[in-house]
Amino acid sequence: MKIIPIPSKVDFKNKFIENIPGEKCEINTALENEEYILSINPEEIKIEGGSERAVFYAKQTLKQIEAQYDKLPECKIQDKPRFPYRAFMIDSARHMQEISEIKEIIDAMALLKLNTFHWHLTEDQGWRFESSNYPLLNTKAAVRPRSDFGGENDSSPYGRVYTKEEMKEIVSYCAERYIDVIPEFDMPGHTSALLSVFPELSCKRDEIKIKTRQGIYDDVLCPAKDKTYEVVDKIIDEFCEIFPYGYYHIGGDETPSKQWEDCPECNYLKTACGLKSWAEYQNYFMNTIIEYLAQKGKTAIVWNDAAKGANLDKRAVLQYWKEVPKNTVDYANSGGKVILSPFSYYYFDYYYEITSLRRVLSYKPKFKGMSDDGYKNIIGIEAPVWTEYIRDKETMQRYFFPRIIAAAHTAWSDKGISYERFLKEMQYIEKLIRDKGITFEDKSEWGYKRISTPHGWLRFTHDHLLKK
Ligand code: ACM
Ligand code: ZN
């Protein structure tokens, strides 16, 4: 029986049922929240789940069984996930996707038992969240005058916000598939679009332009201005009306301190609060927002750049993506929760030559130096697709598929599996996803063994070195 992610326990009886029996579903509170038991016998197909979500997962497993046998096999599968947080991310800020395109991806992700869609909605190059309080965000911050990504120049204006109705539509489409939607309002860096409307929230208060190319920019929010918190809080309030879930992403990545260093108000605040570095100063800001969200019953997620300052509020979940894992390991070992998205395995906007399916499958979600308790603080893994260079639906799909199948396997199961066996085991889940009309990367690209080609390195250098 070939099922990906591999279930925890499969009892396969090698007997086949003549007629298709009826299906019976029930909630069994003795099971964990996402745990299910799927029993197929001649009398019935019985599904027990710890919750409605778990029943849904049993049905996804059943689809793979139905896809591979003409007659159903007698079997009993008991299954539950390794991690509670199993996510994919789409950057809708650098380039947007139509709502229908996002839905197509979500529909496929549900088959993989992924349970979280992290939606990156704000950036230097465009603001995508419709605001009732601040209508200029819907016009000025949403539209960049041109695009210059990767040296390709396009002189036409680009972008719009997603309306509240559209975002609600995504939330309810996801809810039908037991996927939570976690929005990201990236701050205090990556805020040029916001600052183009509110230059008074920056240290310099000068005009700030929405950006047209990839990169990391010095234009950041000034944590020393009351107005910064006033605007941010009001925007968060609006986000929370649309996105009802417990996690909320507040970015915290790639924030240069240059403007803070030149700002008298920032210097005064840093000294007054006894903060030892600009990294700690950034966390003065992050912690203020983390607290604001906590008051609303939400847990903030932040990128691991914010762990450079040792004072990050431990209530935040840290999302590891780059650099030496020490800060993340320390964070987990001392009780903080973490999500793993190491860029060289799980950033699916990289070419397959760098991050092959084989490489994604090989990732072990654990770091050297992580204690057993630290390991328990890994709540899950996430695979992002950033869209500086991904502009169309087909490319986005090719970059996700099939790699996300391997990431989803690791998120759900701790059963190690060779690449060759994985290719065989995934054939039915692959078929189900392809049947939904999803475009996969060409098979010839899946198996690269290492980062080697000049082409691959070019892309790598482009994104992660030249832009800094
Ligand atoms: C990131 O890739 N800047 C989180
Ligand atoms: Zn300042």
Side-chain angles (χ1 to χ4, degrees):
M1 195 178 275
K2 296 180 170 49
I3 297 161
I4 292 289
I6 297 179
S8 318
K9 264 189 242 159
V10 178
D11 182 9
F12 179 66
K13 305 200 184 348
N14 216 6
K15 279 203 276 182
F16 292 84
I17 298 167
E18 287 305 319
N19 302 311
I20 298 178
E23 205 173 293
K24 195 174 126 203
C25 300
E26 62 188 45
I27 302 295
N28 175 347
T29 50
L31 299 175
E32 290 175 24
N33 182 43
E34 294 192 298
E35 183 176 16
Y36 67 85
I37 301 171
L38 167 64
S39 315
I40 304 179
N41 54 57
E43 296 77 47
E44 63 180 4
I45 297 173
K46 186 173 173 203
I47 291 173
E48 293 163 76
S51 63
E52 296 290 345
R53 182 185 288 240
V55 169
F56 179 79
Y57 293 149
K59 290 183 178 172
Q60 305 318 303
T61 297
L62 183 58
K63 284 182 193 166
Q64 287 188 61
I65 298 173
E66 287 167 343
Q68 62 191 284
Y69 298 105
D70 292 333
K71 291 180 185 169
L72 284 181
E74 278 190 47
C75 61
K76 181 172 176 188
I77 294 174
Q78 181 151 9
D79 196 14
K80 64 178 182 182
R82 172 190 206 171
F83 293 121
Y85 182 97
R86 305 178 302 277
F88 61 100
M89 189 208 87
I90 296 176
D91 170 5
S92 292
R94 270 58 172 262
H95 286 96
M96 298 186 68
Q97 304 76 32
E98 293 302 326
I99 292 295
S100 60
E101 294 171 18
I102 298 177
K103 283 184 178 173
E104 273 181 70
I105 299 234
I106 289 165
D107 197 34
M109 297 305 184
L111 279 170
L112 293 167
K113 307 184 177 94
L114 294 176
N115 64 4
T116 306
F117 168 34
H118 169 185
W119 200 2
H120 187 80
L121 284 169
T122 71
E123 261 306 336
D124 292 305
Q125 299 87 356
W127 181 270
R128 304 284 166 244
F129 178 86
E130 182 184 31
S131 168
S132 316
N133 290 326
Y134 303 116
L136 274 179
L137 289 175
N138 310 336
T139 50
K140 194 170 179 198
V143 187
R144 60 176 177 260
R146 50 179 294 123
S147 300
D148 301 295
F149 293 97
E152 274 182 40
N153 313 110
D154 180 342
S155 61
S156 44
Y158 181 94
R160 65 173 181 89
V161 286
Y162 292 110
T163 64
K164 294 200 181 200
E165 282 317 306
E166 286 176 322
M167 292 185 285
K168 281 187 195 157
E169 201 179 315
I170 288 293
V171 169
S172 71
Y173 191 81
C174 281
E176 285 162 18
R177 290 158 183 78
Y178 298 91
I179 291 174
D180 297 356
V181 189
I182 311 302
E184 180 177 351
F185 172 7
D186 197 351
M187 56 189 145
H190 290 287
T191 41
S192 302
L194 173 66
L195 289 169
S196 73
V197 172
F198 293 107
E200 66 273 29
L201 308 188
S202 72
C203 294
K204 297 206 282 200
R205 302 167 198 261
D206 290 344
E207 185 198 0
I208 289 172
K209 289 203 160 58
I210 188 167
K211 304 301 185 280
T212 66
R213 69 184 295 277
Q214 75 282 2
I216 298 173
Y217 295 94
D218 287 340
D219 295 319
V220 302
L221 295 173
C222 175
K225 297 194 169 57
D226 289 345
K227 177 99 193 266
T228 300
Y229 302 100
E230 190 190 304
V231 172
V232 165
D233 289 356
K234 266 185 132 165
I235 293 172
I236 288 178
D237 293 348
E238 284 196 73
F239 264 93
C240 289
E241 283 166 22
I242 306 287
F243 301 101
Y245 298 104
Y247 289 122
Y248 186 104
H249 209 303
I250 56 172
D253 57 321
E254 301 179 320
T255 307
S257 56
K258 184 168 180 319
Q259 294 191 353
W260 299 341
E261 290 170 38
D262 297 338
C263 170
E265 291 163 85
C266 282
N267 277 279
Y268 178 81
L269 182 62
K270 176 171 171 268
T271 309
C273 295
L275 300 165
K276 293 192 278 299
S277 63
W278 291 106
E280 287 197 3
Y281 183 66
Q282 178 179 337
N283 286 345
Y284 168 89
F285 173 81
M286 304 312 299
N287 290 349
T288 310
I289 309 300
I290 291 164
E291 168 61 23
Y292 186 72
L293 284 163
Q295 283 171 18
K296 296 171 95 60
K298 306 245 178 211
T299 301
I301 303 177
V302 300
W303 295 107
N304 77 300
D305 313 47
K308 277 191 207 128
N311 58 334
L312 184 68
D313 187 327
K314 277 270 156 50
R315 287 176 296 181
V317 175
L318 197 66
Q319 185 168 8
Y320 172 80
W321 70 283
K322 69 156 190 182
E323 286 175 353
V324 280
K326 178 166 184 337
N327 296 338
T328 305
V329 170
D330 290 348
Y331 197 76
N333 284 351
S334 59
K337 304 278 183 224
V338 301
I339 294 163
L340 303 182
S341 302
F343 77 84
S344 72
Y345 290 90
Y346 281 179
Y347 271 27
F348 291 168
D349 44 310
Y350 282 69
Y351 289 138
Y352 280 73
E353 288 155 299
I354 302 175
T355 308
S356 60
L357 174 65
R358 183 194 291 275
R359 181 170 170 82
V360 176
L361 184 71
S362 75
Y363 182 62
K364 307 266 181 304
K366 184 160 186 179
F367 290 121
K368 266 200 204 123
M370 203 168 241
S371 64
D372 288 348
D373 282 345
Y375 180 72
K376 287 192 197 120
N377 285 326
I378 298 175
I379 63 167
I381 62 183
E382 175 179 314
V385 167
W386 300 95
T387 59
E388 285 95 333
Y389 312 105
I390 296 181
R391 295 155 215 218
D392 64 276
K393 161 179 145 168
E394 196 187 294
T395 309
M396 160 104 28
Q397 293 185 356
R398 275 197 300 111
Y399 277 46
F400 265 127
F401 299 94
R403 291 184 287 199
I404 193 67
I405 302 177
H409 172 70
T410 305
W412 184 276
S413 167
D414 58 6
K415 289 192 193 335
I417 175 170
S418 74
Y419 177 64
E420 286 66 27
R421 192 174 144 224
F422 184 76
L423 290 183
K424 291 195 185 108
E425 300 284 323
M426 71 171 238
Q427 59 183 288
Y428 296 103
I429 187 82
E430 179 187 342
K431 179 181 182 314
L432 291 172
I433 297 171
R434 283 190 195 269
D435 285 352
K436 288 186 180 288
I438 295 280
T439 304
F440 276 56
E441 178 56 281
D442 196 87
K443 271 199 172 126
S444 61
E445 300 281 317
W446 294 2
Y448 289 107
K449 284 202 167 135
R450 61 197 169 94
I451 303 172
S452 61
T453 66
H455 183 49
W457 273 111
L458 193 66
R459 174 73 166 79
F460 178 82
T461 328
H462 202 145
D463 270 10
H464 282 276
L465 301 172
L466 292 186
K467 78 176 182 181
K468 297 196 175 154

